[in-house]
Amino acid sequence: MSENLIVPTMAEMMAKGEQPEVLFWVGCSGSFDDRAKKITKAFVRILNRANVSFAVLGAEESCTGDPAKRAGNEFAFQMQAMMNIQVFDAYEVKKIVTACPHCFNTLKNEYPELGGKYEVVHHTEFLKSLLDSGRLTIEGGQFKGKKITFHDPCYLGRANKIYEAPRELIQKLDAELVEMKRSKANGLCCGAGGAQMFKEPEKGNKDINMERTEEALQTKPDIIAAGCPFCNTMLTDGVKFNHKEGEVQVLDVAELIANAQDL
């Protein structure tokens, strides 16, 4: 990565005899998808600014197995999970932060029964903890007074009951948070879950991401905020389909904070 980002690997840290505060699990999307890489970089810039000691696995990181499991291939999931758990345990990993709710949910709720027990936090929770402890400060900057609506990712919201952290971060930007008709526990999926991200939708009257994007656009937002790279892709497609890409941005919460701070 260019841009003077400091991204040590666990292997480099171990060679120095150091143990980071957290392992940043990047995930497939954040590693390979060009749009999601921007979220990864924004989050790293914030970690660098807040002087958080973190490391990534780099080439040793594999998929968590979430898409395989959701698509019904339990065997492939367990193979991937066991491999990752071996790597985590070799590095004595205790705490993991990730910007992907799919990875978050899988590592937090499905790895323990395979022997992988770690403290797992979503990046919006981690950012809120940095704020609460005074390690990070936020001014509204370019988002002051902007209308922002937040789309709850399924695996962050309904599956893990995390609703407040991302909203508190948005309000810290002095932005106007506007809620969609369906939000929080009543939120609607972006349409990418269950490995739908990787295939064409089944026949129907309307794609789910179009339905969700229309709900978001009804709030007349300047920005649709997301906390998941899959949601980001689906909502971005929906905004483009409605020819609103010149008016409405789709940004991850980490990007909002990094951009507000000019990181």
Side-chain angles (χ1 to χ4, degrees):
M1 284 186 175
S2 56
E3 306 174 47
N4 303 326
L5 297 178
I6 303 160
V7 189
T9 64
M10 287 299 279
E12 288 164 359
M13 282 216 142
M14 195 170 224
K16 288 193 218 162
E18 293 174 14
Q19 184 73 12
E21 183 185 335
V22 287
L23 168 69
F24 171 29
W25 179 270
V26 183
C28 302
S29 192
S31 301
F32 299 115
D33 180 79
D34 284 342
R35 174 65 188 87
K37 282 181 197 171
K38 294 180 181 171
I39 300 169
T40 303
K41 288 180 180 176
F43 186 55
V44 167
R45 287 201 292 272
I46 298 167
L47 294 177
N48 286 169
R49 163 65 67 91
N51 292 319
V52 174
S53 161
F54 76 98
V56 298
L57 286 172
E60 292 184 273
E61 183 182 295
S62 170
C63 179
T64 58
D66 165 80
K69 187 177 180 79
R70 303 295 162 237
N73 193 336
E74 182 66 23
F75 178 70
F77 161 70
Q78 291 199 10
M79 293 272 288
Q80 285 177 302
M82 299 305 274
M83 249 174 13
N84 288 324
I85 289 167
Q86 282 181 335
V87 174
F88 290 153
D89 292 350
Y91 286 123
E92 297 176 5
V93 169
K94 306 274 187 298
K95 185 172 183 176
I96 303 171
V97 62
T98 180
C100 175
H102 292 254
C103 298
F104 165 71
N105 179 68
T106 305
L107 294 169
K108 179 175 185 275
N109 298 323
E110 289 166 353
Y111 273 37
E113 64 192 36
L114 298 171
K117 297 183 173 70
Y118 318 99
E119 182 190 353
V120 187
V121 292
H122 185 251
H123 73 315
T124 56
E125 293 178 287
F126 192 73
L127 292 170
K128 185 180 175 317
S129 72
L130 291 178
L131 268 180
D132 292 346
S133 61
R135 295 171 71 182
L136 181 69
T137 52
I138 303 180
E139 282 86 48
Q142 56 178 293
F143 300 113
K144 200 168 177 147
K146 287 270 198 296
K147 275 178 90 168
I148 302 180
T149 190
F150 179 70
H151 162 76
D152 290 282
C154 296
Y155 279 119
L156 188 64
R158 286 174 305 189
N160 287 287
K161 309 285 183 283
I162 296 168
Y163 301 114
E164 296 315 317
R167 287 174 170 80
E168 285 180 32
L169 292 169
I170 290 167
Q171 286 169 323
K172 283 274 195 302
L173 299 169
D174 298 329
E176 183 193 346
L177 179 66
V178 285
E179 295 288 359
M180 290 181 240
K181 285 201 179 91
R182 286 190 271 195
S183 69
K184 299 191 181 175
N186 192 33
L188 180 71
C189 177
C190 73
Q196 290 282 353
M197 177 87 165
F198 309 104
K199 56 182 272 299
E200 291 303 311
E202 285 84 6
K203 284 202 167 34
N205 299 328
K206 187 193 280 187
D207 288 356
I208 293 172
N209 65 320
M210 296 308 163
E211 174 81 9
R212 188 54 169 165
T213 306
E214 283 166 21
E215 291 185 356
L217 293 173
Q218 279 168 8
T219 68
K220 305 220 175 346
D222 297 302
I223 294 154
I224 302 172
C228 169
F230 285 25
C231 298
N232 197 306
T233 297
M234 302 302 270
L235 294 166
T236 300
D237 286 352
V239 168
K240 283 179 184 161
F241 182 80
N242 284 281
H243 308 297
K244 295 279 190 201
E245 62 266 44
E247 303 157 46
V248 181
Q249 282 181 291
V250 180
L251 292 171
D252 188 85
V253 173
E255 293 178 302
L256 291 172
I257 292 170
N259 293 354
Q261 299 306 99
D262 292 325
L263 296 183

